[in-house]
Amino acid sequence: MDRRDFKDLYHETRIFNRRALICWVALIILTCLLALRLFYLQVVQHDRYATLSDQNRVLLQPIAPNRGLVYDRNGILLAGNRATHSLNVTMERVGDLEETLASLGKIIPVSERDLERFSERLKDPRRPYQSVPVRFKLTEQEIAKIAVQIHKLSGISVEAQLVRHYPLAASMAHVLGYVGRINKQELERIDPVNYSATRRIGKIGLEKFYEEQLHGSVGYQKVEANARGRVLRVLERSAPTPGEDIHLHLDSKLQLAAEQALGNRRGAIVAIDPRSGGILALVSQPSFDPNLFVTGIDTRSYGLLRDSPDLPLFNRALRGQYPPGSTIKPFVALAGLETGNTDWQREIYDPGFYQLKKGGRLYRDWKKWGHGRVDLNLALVQSCDTYFYDLAHRMGVDKMHEFLARFGFGQRTGLDMAESLRGILPSSEWKKMAVGEPWYTGDSLNASIGQGFMLATPLQLATATAVLANRGAWFQPRLMQRIVEHSDAAVQDVGGRELKPLEDVALADPENWQRIIAAMEEVVHGERGTARRISKGISYKIAGKTGSAQVVGIKQDEENDAETIAERKTHALFIGFAPAQEPTIALVVIVENGGGGGATAAPVARQVLDAWMDSGGTG
């Protein structure tokens, strides 16, 4: 039997050497790959990973600009910024949110409402890695308590910030508006970069209209932070540009005097400087405290404002649309003179009513037994409805519409009052489009005394009165007087005739301006004027016109005397300007459900005019 050697050392050595070589080659290749990767990370990608590493300790934070201030014409602050401290949470640095909030509640009071508003703020899509406030207006004691415990609370910080504040509170609410938390709709239209650190934006009023000027430009700072996200030091800082300061034509003292004159009654007062169009006072009563909305109003407080029958959130001065009543008569009279449908000598007989045809409807005069024989001057002084019924019958609505539109009726004319409404200046075409019915002569009669379809806002009435005071010269009504830029302290003046939206009203006979104004003077200072009671003890001349606008229609078989009007709770109106021949102020007063204009609205106007004249009356 053959013997065989089962152990081939030579062959095994060759196999071992071959495998060792392969292992060494693989090891060398892997080492080279590792070296190449190390080179790539350390050299080629050095800048990128150095930046990523720095983000663990260096953060770039946006800095909100200080919002611009708002002053009245005398430099009195109307809207400022108040320093406050807030308790903030950065969600990404908090472990257990519920536990953290519970811990905070043991240190300082945190109400359910605070937690509700905090939850709402968390929905802000810009929120990641931004601190979200839980509590505002921390006291010094609360700040101290948090400082002692803050090392135990990750993602918690106390931040100082400026919060909008309105020193005069409800007095200027409907003029200034207010700021509030930015919502989703607003996020879609604002610059996300410039508003990256801003939590509030103008919601209504001037705060909204001049948002771009008031907001300013965002700044940035590079800070060093520890693992808990707390800032250790500021490395670099680019300061934000504060918003621009705005000075208004408003006179806060006159505003307060107007509010005091109106008292607790619902209504509106608008006063304009006819020489510039500047709004001197804009009152809507009742009002509300805009400070409630800055950091978020609670549900109960908002519900009380929203559901109040007095509508304190409603801006009557800009959005209240009222029948102008007899305050429209000076303009209708000018329209009749301009179109040749009446003159100063033409007389009619007023038996206390007007009929288009015998046996037809009675269009009643406010004076039950009528005024007897009346010319245009007496019709204005005593506010004779019958004369204007007859004039409207002769003139027609379309001529009346065309002329009154030149005074701004039926249009938005305010420069920086975007929330104002147009009112309604009816015409035959308007009724066909709006109501789907033809225009009737009776509609013209109602329009001639400021009733029927006609509606005007207090701002429109004040604007038209200012044009009348100027003998037809137009200046666009506006609140803002000038803007002061912080960057170079430059002053931008927005005054001047270049802002006029309409052409000056020119009459074929300019003497009619003076005769209309003389009749309006007699309304106040004449023995038979409807506002003669307010002329007692006065040292200057007022040109005015009273009005009473029906809220409920009067049926044919009902009486329409002054007592009935009061029971029907008509709105009381007064328009006027002073001094009559060189006016420095034009105004309108509307007292809702106040009764007669001469008895209710005119005395309010006298108080406002006295306050203006006592202050110098020159602006």
Side-chain angles (χ1 to χ4, degrees):
M1 185 173 180
D2 294 339
R3 295 181 60 189
R4 291 175 181 251
D5 188 0
F6 292 99
K7 190 171 181 69
D8 189 344
L9 296 176
Y10 176 75
H11 184 68
E12 289 180 355
T13 301
R14 289 184 63 188
I15 292 174
F16 175 79
N17 290 337
R18 190 183 305 121
R19 290 177 177 175
L21 179 62
I22 292 173
C23 288
W24 276 107
V25 171
L27 183 61
I28 292 171
I29 291 174
L30 291 174
T31 303
C32 290
L33 290 174
L34 183 61
L36 288 173
R37 180 61 178 172
L38 186 62
F39 176 82
Y40 176 78
L41 295 175
Q42 292 289 341
V43 179
V44 178
Q45 293 289 315
H46 173 270
D47 293 340
R48 178 172 180 268
Y49 287 101
T51 302
L52 291 175
S53 176
D54 282 345
Q55 285 184 350
N56 293 327
R57 59 185 179 83
V58 178
L59 304 174
L60 187 64
Q61 296 179 335
I63 307 173
N66 293 339
R67 194 168 181 85
L69 309 180
V70 182
Y71 299 91
D72 81 342
R73 68 191 298 121
N74 300 311
I76 297 175
L77 183 67
L78 305 180
N81 302 309
R82 174 177 287 181
T84 184
H85 288 80
S86 62
L87 175 63
N88 291 22
V89 173
T90 304
M91 282 288 297
E92 290 70 23
R93 302 186 182 278
V94 173
D96 188 325
L97 179 60
E98 291 187 5
E99 182 181 344
T100 301
L101 292 176
S103 300
L104 289 175
K106 295 176 182 178
I107 301 173
I108 63 171
V110 179
S111 67
E112 288 296 325
R113 177 55 185 161
D114 292 329
L115 296 177
E116 289 177 9
R117 288 188 287 187
F118 173 70
S119 298
E120 287 294 320
R121 297 184 191 106
L122 290 178
K123 298 176 182 178
D124 189 337
R126 305 176 302 165
R127 185 200 54 75
Y129 296 99
Q130 290 192 16
S131 60
V132 181
V134 178
R135 267 278 316 275
F136 289 98
K137 301 179 181 178
L138 297 178
T139 65
E140 293 183 1
Q141 292 79 6
E142 289 172 338
I143 295 173
K145 290 179 181 179
I146 296 170
V148 173
Q149 301 291 332
I150 201 167
H151 66 282
K152 301 178 183 178
L153 304 169
S154 297
I156 302 301
S157 61
V158 174
E159 299 180 8
Q161 58 183 306
L162 294 177
V163 175
R164 202 59 160 172
H165 178 64
Y166 304 100
L168 298 183
S171 178
M172 292 289 177
H174 289 293
V175 179
L176 301 174
Y178 55 83
V179 299
R181 184 171 59 87
I182 300 175
N183 58 37
K184 291 182 179 179
Q185 292 75 22
E186 291 160 340
L187 278 174
E188 294 176 358
R189 62 178 175 81
I190 62 176
D191 181 354
V193 175
N194 198 31
Y195 280 79
S196 57
T198 303
R199 296 192 177 100
R200 299 173 188 85
I201 194 171
K203 295 290 185 178
I204 61 172
L206 282 176
E207 291 280 23
K208 180 178 180 179
F209 191 89
Y210 289 111
E211 173 64 29
E212 182 179 349
Q213 291 79 9
L214 290 168
H215 177 261
S217 301
V218 69
Y220 295 93
Q221 65 180 6
K222 185 181 289 187
V223 300
E224 183 178 355
N226 61 17
R228 290 177 174 267
R230 297 195 180 95
V231 175
L232 303 177
R233 62 191 178 107
V234 177
L235 303 177
E236 296 179 17
R237 191 175 193 275
S238 176
T241 303
E244 298 167 350
D245 293 344
I246 293 179
H247 290 254
L248 305 181
H249 283 281
L250 273 171
D251 188 312
S252 58
K253 294 181 180 179
L254 184 67
Q255 177 89 2
L256 293 172
E259 291 173 358
Q260 184 176 3
L262 195 55
N264 295 325
R265 294 169 290 193
R266 297 189 305 269
I269 299 174
V270 178
I272 297 179
D273 185 342
R275 301 164 299 177
S276 65
I279 303 292
L280 301 173
L282 193 148
V283 176
S284 176
Q285 292 279 71
S287 187
F288 62 96
D289 186 354
N291 292 301
L292 296 173
F293 290 84
V294 175
T295 56
I297 187 171
D298 63 86
T299 305
R300 180 179 177 276
S301 297
Y302 181 72
L304 290 174
L305 292 173
R306 180 196 58 208
D307 301 331
S308 171
D310 291 329
L311 304 177
L313 296 176
F314 181 60
N315 191 335
R316 290 168 164 82
L318 301 184
R319 302 184 65 82
Q321 299 183 103
Y322 303 90
S326 294
T327 60
I328 203 71
K329 289 177 180 176
F331 307 99
V332 175
L334 282 173
L337 291 167
E338 191 68 7
T339 57
N341 287 284
T342 192
D343 55 45
W344 293 100
Q345 289 73 41
R346 186 171 183 276
E347 293 184 349
I348 68 161
Y349 179 77
D350 171 25
F353 61 86
Y354 186 80
Q355 282 182 301
L356 291 172
K357 59 182 180 180
K358 189 174 181 180
R361 173 180 173 177
L362 298 180
Y363 292 86
R364 302 175 185 276
D365 188 87
W366 70 266
K367 191 174 183 180
K368 185 176 180 179
W369 306 113
H371 296 83
R373 299 207 63 80
V374 183
D375 61 11
L376 180 56
N377 187 79
L378 186 60
L380 285 168
V381 174
Q382 292 202 317
S383 197
C384 176
D385 294 334
T386 305
Y387 189 98
F388 287 92
Y389 291 148
D390 180 70
L391 176 56
H393 186 192
R394 295 163 58 87
M395 180 167 48
V397 69
D398 291 329
K399 291 181 180 179
M400 192 189 315
H401 170 93
E402 181 182 355
F403 187 80
L404 266 60
R406 297 165 67 184
F407 287 84
F409 290 105
Q411 304 171 64
R412 292 191 183 97
T413 56
L415 172 67
D416 46 11
M417 291 160 279
E419 296 159 13
S420 61
L421 298 181
R422 292 180 178 275
I424 297 176
L425 180 59
S427 66
S428 56
E429 182 180 358
W430 172 86
K431 186 180 180 185
K432 186 176 181 180
M433 294 179 63
V435 184
E437 296 180 0
W439 187 268
Y440 301 107
T441 303
D443 296 329
S444 298
L445 271 57
N446 287 329
S448 71
I449 63 168
Q451 295 282 175
F453 296 110
M454 181 172 286
L455 296 174
T457 66
L459 176 62
Q460 286 177 321
L461 278 172
T463 301
T465 304
V467 176
L468 179 57
N470 281 338
R471 279 71 170 173
W474 248 103
F475 292 93
Q476 188 170 16
R478 58 192 181 278
L479 289 160
M480 193 261 282
Q481 184 182 61
R482 65 184 189 276
I483 293 179
V484 179
E485 299 178 355
H486 290 90
S487 57
D488 55 5
V491 176
Q492 176 186 351
D493 189 359
V494 299
R497 299 175 66 92
E498 70 277 7
L499 294 173
K500 295 185 300 178
L502 299 177
E503 294 294 328
D504 289 349
V505 180
L507 300 182
D509 183 1
E511 182 62 23
N512 285 330
W513 290 118
Q514 183 54 39
R515 297 196 68 168
I516 285 288
I517 293 172
M520 293 175 69
E521 278 192 64
E522 200 172 343
V523 168
V524 177
H525 301 277
E527 294 181 0
R528 304 172 70 182
T530 55
R532 59 187 179 278
R533 297 176 185 175
I534 69 169
S535 64
K536 185 177 181 180
I538 199 168
S539 60
Y540 57 92
K541 293 288 186 179
I542 299 174
K545 183 70 188 77
T546 59
S548 300
Q550 287 180 202
V551 181
V552 179
I554 303 297
K555 297 179 181 179
Q556 279 288 295
D557 57 351
E558 292 182 321
E559 297 295 330
N560 188 22
D561 54 20
E563 184 177 352
T564 302
I565 290 176
E567 290 174 354
R568 297 283 179 169
K569 296 183 178 180
T570 61
H571 298 324
L573 301 95
F574 182 86
I575 64 170
F577 48 90
Q581 296 305 317
E582 295 184 2
T584 60
I585 183 174
L587 87 168
V588 59
V589 175
I590 295 180
V591 182
E592 290 185 4
N593 310 120
T600 306
V604 174
R606 166 70 191 273
Q607 292 183 54
V608 178
L609 293 173
D610 281 350
W612 175 251
M613 299 304 292
D614 289 345
S615 68
T618 61

